[in-house]
Amino acid sequence: MLFPCPFCGPRDETEFHYVGEPKPRPEPAGTVGEADWADYLYVNANPRGPAREIWLHLACMDMFVMTRDTATNAVLGAETPGRAS
Amino acid sequence: MRETNWTPARPARGILAARPGFAARSVAGLGQTLVSGDLDAALAALAPGAPLIGLYGLAPDGAYALRVARDRALLVTPAPIGPADGWRQGWCATAVDDGWAAVDVEGDGAGLVLMQGTSADLAAGSPSAAVLFAGQRVLLARRPNGFRLHVEAPRLEALLKWLDGA
Ligand SMILES: [Zn+2]
């Protein structure tokens, strides 16, 4: 299975590491309660179907968002946050 | 196996691994410099004319740079260049002459070793020369009689162990 690194192009999936779901960190940290921190750290949407996921390409260390169908494993797109890819 | 029992590393010189069809030889004496930031400016200052090459690009006998990421590369020179460490005019250099090892794998069977070591589509090319080879992160270049791997020195022994069994 090939994953698309926004910089390197298609590379074998073994070169990639799953990082997590893209979601905003609750701020400011000093005012965030335990329940909200736990939600942020451990509660994921984990949708069936198209999902946005953060992945790291271990070769070039590019961190990017890949949209992937979790039911079929089909890759639907990849983009680097803050950079047109 | 206890994880604290590390295989003693063989000295990185001469023939490092030899099997029917190929031999892996240490490329000694190279200068190796990690550069970050404005790669064009860094290469112009440190090694004018050195090509910036991507995955499985041809490494010439003279200086060349293997691109790692958008803003990082490993500059390889025939001998250490002793760059001043640190940032200047948008780029940064770090000498890693013996922090990285270079290995040439040559022989009729070198192509087969390459196919076993990596699943990357080498014919398609890629801007970054970094790739997983035998499970290790390496920089991969083509050579007239085989291929060259640049790898962080602590990872060399694991790579050679794999080559021993290839
Ligand atoms: Zn990449």
mmCIF file of all heavy atoms in Angstrom, chain B residues 55-77:
data_model
loop_
_atom_site.group_PDB
_atom_site.id
_atom_site.type_symbol
_atom_site.label_atom_id
_atom_site.label_comp_id
_atom_site.label_asym_id
_atom_site.label_seq_id
_atom_site.Cartn_x
_atom_site.Cartn_y
_atom_site.Cartn_z
ATOM 1 N N LEU B 55 16.113 10.621 -4.270
ATOM 2 C CA LEU B 55 16.177 9.175 -4.065
ATOM 3 C C LEU B 55 16.836 8.456 -5.240
ATOM 4 O O LEU B 55 16.395 8.586 -6.382
ATOM 5 C CB LEU B 55 14.765 8.623 -3.856
ATOM 6 C CG LEU B 55 14.664 7.137 -3.523
ATOM 7 C CD1 LEU B 55 15.318 6.842 -2.185
ATOM 8 C CD2 LEU B 55 13.211 6.694 -3.523
ATOM 9 N N TYR B 56 17.886 7.732 -4.952
ATOM 10 C CA TYR B 56 18.574 6.880 -5.912
ATOM 11 C C TYR B 56 19.124 7.689 -7.089
ATOM 12 O O TYR B 56 19.271 7.202 -8.195
ATOM 13 C CB TYR B 56 17.630 5.771 -6.409
ATOM 14 C CG TYR B 56 18.322 4.580 -7.001
ATOM 15 C CD1 TYR B 56 19.394 3.970 -6.369
ATOM 16 C CD2 TYR B 56 17.886 4.046 -8.219
ATOM 17 C CE1 TYR B 56 20.018 2.871 -6.929
ATOM 18 C CE2 TYR B 56 18.495 2.949 -8.790
ATOM 19 C CZ TYR B 56 19.572 2.367 -8.146
ATOM 20 O OH TYR B 56 20.185 1.281 -8.701
ATOM 21 N N GLY B 57 19.442 8.960 -6.819
ATOM 22 C CA GLY B 57 20.116 9.772 -7.830
ATOM 23 C C GLY B 57 21.578 9.354 -7.911
ATOM 24 O O GLY B 57 22.125 8.789 -6.965
ATOM 25 N N LEU B 58 22.207 9.654 -9.046
ATOM 26 C CA LEU B 58 23.591 9.233 -9.244
ATOM 27 C C LEU B 58 24.535 10.087 -8.400
ATOM 28 O O LEU B 58 24.569 11.307 -8.537
ATOM 29 C CB LEU B 58 23.971 9.331 -10.722
ATOM 30 C CG LEU B 58 25.401 8.898 -11.060
ATOM 31 C CD1 LEU B 58 25.578 7.390 -10.825
ATOM 32 C CD2 LEU B 58 25.759 9.265 -12.493
ATOM 33 N N ALA B 59 25.286 9.443 -7.525
ATOM 34 C CA ALA B 59 26.282 10.153 -6.717
ATOM 35 C C ALA B 59 27.585 10.200 -7.498
ATOM 36 O O ALA B 59 28.144 9.160 -7.825
ATOM 37 C CB ALA B 59 26.480 9.440 -5.389
ATOM 38 N N PRO B 60 28.065 11.406 -7.811
ATOM 39 C CA PRO B 60 29.325 11.516 -8.545
ATOM 40 C C PRO B 60 30.515 11.256 -7.619
ATOM 41 O O PRO B 60 30.346 11.106 -6.405
ATOM 42 C CB PRO B 60 29.315 12.965 -9.034
ATOM 43 C CG PRO B 60 28.509 13.685 -8.010
ATOM 44 C CD PRO B 60 27.480 12.712 -7.497
ATOM 45 N N ASP B 61 31.705 11.194 -8.190
ATOM 46 C CA ASP B 61 32.897 10.971 -7.363
ATOM 47 C C ASP B 61 33.224 12.209 -6.525
ATOM 48 O O ASP B 61 33.779 12.101 -5.443
ATOM 49 C CB ASP B 61 34.093 10.613 -8.250
ATOM 50 C CG ASP B 61 33.939 9.217 -8.855
ATOM 51 O OD1 ASP B 61 33.329 8.353 -8.189
ATOM 52 O OD2 ASP B 61 34.396 9.000 -9.989
ATOM 53 N N GLY B 62 32.873 13.380 -7.036
ATOM 54 C CA GLY B 62 33.133 14.613 -6.303
ATOM 55 C C GLY B 62 32.027 14.894 -5.295
ATOM 56 O O GLY B 62 31.327 13.982 -4.856
ATOM 57 N N ALA B 63 31.894 16.165 -4.946
ATOM 58 C CA ALA B 63 30.921 16.543 -3.920
ATOM 59 C C ALA B 63 29.491 16.403 -4.440
ATOM 60 O O ALA B 63 29.217 16.615 -5.623
ATOM 61 C CB ALA B 63 31.163 17.976 -3.478
ATOM 62 N N TYR B 64 28.598 16.034 -3.550
ATOM 63 C CA TYR B 64 27.168 15.995 -3.861
ATOM 64 C C TYR B 64 26.399 16.165 -2.557
ATOM 65 O O TYR B 64 26.964 16.010 -1.472
ATOM 66 C CB TYR B 64 26.767 14.681 -4.543
ATOM 67 C CG TYR B 64 27.070 13.433 -3.754
ATOM 68 C CD1 TYR B 64 26.125 12.869 -2.899
ATOM 69 C CD2 TYR B 64 28.318 12.806 -3.865
ATOM 70 C CE1 TYR B 64 26.405 11.720 -2.176
ATOM 71 C CE2 TYR B 64 28.612 11.653 -3.141
ATOM 72 C CZ TYR B 64 27.649 11.113 -2.298
ATOM 73 O OH TYR B 64 27.936 9.981 -1.574
ATOM 74 N N ALA B 65 25.126 16.503 -2.693
ATOM 75 C CA ALA B 65 24.279 16.636 -1.512
ATOM 76 C C ALA B 65 23.049 15.760 -1.701
ATOM 77 O O ALA B 65 22.437 15.757 -2.761
ATOM 78 C CB ALA B 65 23.861 18.087 -1.301
ATOM 79 N N LEU B 66 22.732 14.995 -0.672
ATOM 80 C CA LEU B 66 21.547 14.151 -0.686
ATOM 81 C C LEU B 66 20.447 14.878 0.060
ATOM 82 O O LEU B 66 20.606 15.213 1.245
ATOM 83 C CB LEU B 66 21.843 12.808 -0.014
ATOM 84 C CG LEU B 66 22.777 11.903 -0.816
ATOM 85 C CD1 LEU B 66 23.360 10.821 0.081
ATOM 86 C CD2 LEU B 66 22.027 11.277 -1.979
ATOM 87 N N ARG B 67 19.339 15.124 -0.629
ATOM 88 C CA ARG B 67 18.265 15.852 0.014
ATOM 89 C C ARG B 67 17.536 14.937 0.994
ATOM 90 O O ARG B 67 17.194 13.808 0.670
ATOM 91 C CB ARG B 67 17.282 16.372 -1.029
ATOM 92 C CG ARG B 67 16.327 17.365 -0.447
ATOM 93 C CD ARG B 67 15.735 18.236 -1.510
ATOM 94 N NE ARG B 67 15.065 19.379 -0.924
ATOM 95 C CZ ARG B 67 14.348 20.219 -1.639
ATOM 96 N NH1 ARG B 67 14.227 20.048 -2.926
ATOM 97 N NH2 ARG B 67 13.760 21.242 -1.047
ATOM 98 N N VAL B 68 17.330 15.428 2.188
ATOM 99 C CA VAL B 68 16.616 14.669 3.212
ATOM 100 C C VAL B 68 15.167 15.140 3.271
ATOM 101 O O VAL B 68 14.241 14.342 3.207
ATOM 102 C CB VAL B 68 17.285 14.846 4.589
ATOM 103 C CG1 VAL B 68 16.524 14.078 5.652
ATOM 104 C CG2 VAL B 68 18.736 14.399 4.538
ATOM 105 N N ALA B 69 14.990 16.453 3.408
ATOM 106 C CA ALA B 69 13.665 17.047 3.566
ATOM 107 C C ALA B 69 13.625 18.341 2.770
ATOM 108 O O ALA B 69 14.577 18.680 2.065
ATOM 109 C CB ALA B 69 13.372 17.303 5.043
ATOM 110 N N ARG B 70 12.499 19.061 2.889
ATOM 111 C CA ARG B 70 12.369 20.317 2.137
ATOM 112 C C ARG B 70 13.565 21.229 2.412
ATOM 113 O O ARG B 70 14.086 21.883 1.518
ATOM 114 C CB ARG B 70 11.100 21.057 2.568
ATOM 115 C CG ARG B 70 9.823 20.295 2.299
ATOM 116 C CD ARG B 70 8.619 21.081 2.849
ATOM 117 N NE ARG B 70 7.450 20.225 2.994
ATOM 118 C CZ ARG B 70 6.584 19.985 2.015
ATOM 119 N NH1 ARG B 70 6.757 20.540 0.852
ATOM 120 N NH2 ARG B 70 5.551 19.185 2.214
ATOM 121 N N ASP B 71 13.984 21.279 3.679
ATOM 122 C CA ASP B 71 15.008 22.239 4.084
ATOM 123 C C ASP B 71 16.194 21.569 4.761
ATOM 124 O O ASP B 71 16.866 22.177 5.585
ATOM 125 C CB ASP B 71 14.392 23.285 5.014
ATOM 126 C CG ASP B 71 13.748 22.651 6.242
ATOM 127 O OD1 ASP B 71 13.730 21.410 6.324
ATOM 128 O OD2 ASP B 71 13.268 23.397 7.115
ATOM 129 N N ARG B 72 16.441 20.301 4.440
ATOM 130 C CA ARG B 72 17.591 19.621 5.041
ATOM 131 C C ARG B 72 18.272 18.725 4.014
ATOM 132 O O ARG B 72 17.605 18.111 3.185
ATOM 133 C CB ARG B 72 17.161 18.782 6.252
ATOM 134 C CG ARG B 72 17.061 19.586 7.538
ATOM 135 C CD ARG B 72 16.699 18.694 8.702
ATOM 136 N NE ARG B 72 15.404 18.092 8.485
ATOM 137 C CZ ARG B 72 15.109 16.831 8.786
ATOM 138 N NH1 ARG B 72 16.017 16.052 9.301
ATOM 139 N NH2 ARG B 72 13.905 16.361 8.567
ATOM 140 N N ALA B 73 19.593 18.641 4.092
ATOM 141 C CA ALA B 73 20.344 17.776 3.184
ATOM 142 C C ALA B 73 21.637 17.349 3.849
ATOM 143 O O ALA B 73 22.108 17.980 4.805
ATOM 144 C CB ALA B 73 20.644 18.516 1.869
ATOM 145 N N LEU B 74 22.197 16.262 3.356
ATOM 146 C CA LEU B 74 23.517 15.823 3.791
ATOM 147 C C LEU B 74 24.484 16.121 2.661
ATOM 148 O O LEU B 74 24.368 15.553 1.569
ATOM 149 C CB LEU B 74 23.526 14.321 4.106
ATOM 150 C CG LEU B 74 24.877 13.765 4.553
ATOM 151 C CD1 LEU B 74 25.209 14.221 5.977
ATOM 152 C CD2 LEU B 74 24.913 12.235 4.472
ATOM 153 N N LEU B 75 25.411 17.035 2.938
ATOM 154 C CA LEU B 75 26.437 17.368 1.950
ATOM 155 C C LEU B 75 27.593 16.378 2.105
ATOM 156 O O LEU B 75 28.113 16.187 3.211
ATOM 157 C CB LEU B 75 26.931 18.803 2.165
ATOM 158 C CG LEU B 75 28.160 19.222 1.360
ATOM 159 C CD1 LEU B 75 27.885 19.172 -0.142
ATOM 160 C CD2 LEU B 75 28.611 20.629 1.778
ATOM 161 N N VAL B 76 27.969 15.751 0.999
ATOM 162 C CA VAL B 76 29.048 14.767 1.014
ATOM 163 C C VAL B 76 30.187 15.302 0.156
ATOM 164 O O VAL B 76 29.984 15.689 -1.001
ATOM 165 C CB VAL B 76 28.560 13.410 0.459
ATOM 166 C CG1 VAL B 76 29.668 12.374 0.536
ATOM 167 C CG2 VAL B 76 27.328 12.924 1.224
ATOM 168 N N THR B 77 31.367 15.361 0.749
ATOM 169 C CA THR B 77 32.535 15.891 0.052
ATOM 170 C C THR B 77 33.661 14.860 0.113
ATOM 171 O O THR B 77 33.675 14.013 1.004
ATOM 172 C CB THR B 77 32.999 17.217 0.696
ATOM 173 O OG1 THR B 77 32.993 17.071 2.131
ATOM 174 C CG2 THR B 77 32.056 18.357 0.348
#
